Amino acid sequence: FASAPAITVSANLNRNWSRVEQVPGPDNRLERQTPFSANLAVDYKASAQLSMGGTLSYTQGGQLRVSAQQQAYTNQRSQLDAYAAWNLDQQSQLRLSFNNLLAQDKLSLDQYQDQQGGRTLSTTAPSYRTLRLLLEHKF
């Protein structure tokens, strides 16, 4: 469409159905393999000098059985990134980017249980927002 705005939309979905036969179920999938993830990106070219956009990512967490005695859990997470870029000339661009705007911490639990007892390790990995201003120049 000639009169439509200069918008580009892209998306992807990933689904994994792994099962490890040597580990009793349920949730006996490959360790650290995400069952489901999705990304949605939108880019808009406002003019010859200005473009902007963003990306929203989602990663499913959940329970995982690593072995007959060991289980793990991770939380679901979403991440939002955005940018604006100004073309100063044909070789130079100024880019302002905002990363991890939702700043969701990563939570995980590792549990081990056998006849002698059990142990649970809970970990929180903090997440931070990032603001970046870059001047890019092609030589």
Side-chain angles (χ1 to χ4, degrees):
F1 301 108
S3 62
I7 296 176
T8 303
V9 177
S10 59
N12 70 42
L13 302 172
N14 297 300
R15 177 71 172 103
N16 297 300
W17 287 276
S18 67
R19 293 286 178 248
V20 178
E21 291 179 5
Q22 294 80 7
V23 177
D27 304 317
N28 56 338
R29 64 182 186 275
L30 292 172
E31 189 172 3
R32 307 296 179 219
Q33 184 183 64
T34 302
F36 176 79
S37 65
N39 295 298
L40 174 65
V42 177
D43 294 293
Y44 172 60
K45 188 166 180 102
S47 67
Q49 289 79 30
L50 176 64
S51 59
M52 58 189 83
T55 303
L56 178 63
S57 303
Y58 170 80
T59 304
Q60 181 183 6
Q63 196 71 24
L64 168 68
R65 181 170 290 281
V66 180
S67 70
Q69 296 82 22
Q70 186 177 357
Q71 295 185 52
Y73 168 83
T74 57
N75 64 319
Q76 65 182 13
R77 295 183 62 214
S78 297
Q79 182 168 326
L80 179 62
D81 301 327
Y83 77 93
W86 293 269
N87 291 323
L88 303 174
D89 56 42
Q90 289 196 354
Q91 286 86 19
S92 302
Q93 175 178 276
L94 187 63
R95 178 181 291 267
L96 177 64
S97 61
F98 304 90
N99 299 96
N100 197 25
L101 290 169
L102 302 176
Q104 294 181 338
D105 294 344
K106 182 177 182 180
L107 308 173
S108 63
L109 287 173
D110 290 299
Q111 300 172 318
Y112 182 85
Q113 182 74 41
D114 63 12
Q115 292 82 5
Q116 285 77 36
R119 180 181 309 185
T120 300
L121 174 64
S122 175
T123 306
T124 301
S127 180
Y128 302 98
R129 293 176 187 91
T130 305
L131 171 65
R132 182 175 293 156
L133 181 63
L134 298 170
L135 176 61
E136 302 169 351
H137 184 77
K138 297 177 186 175
F139 293 97

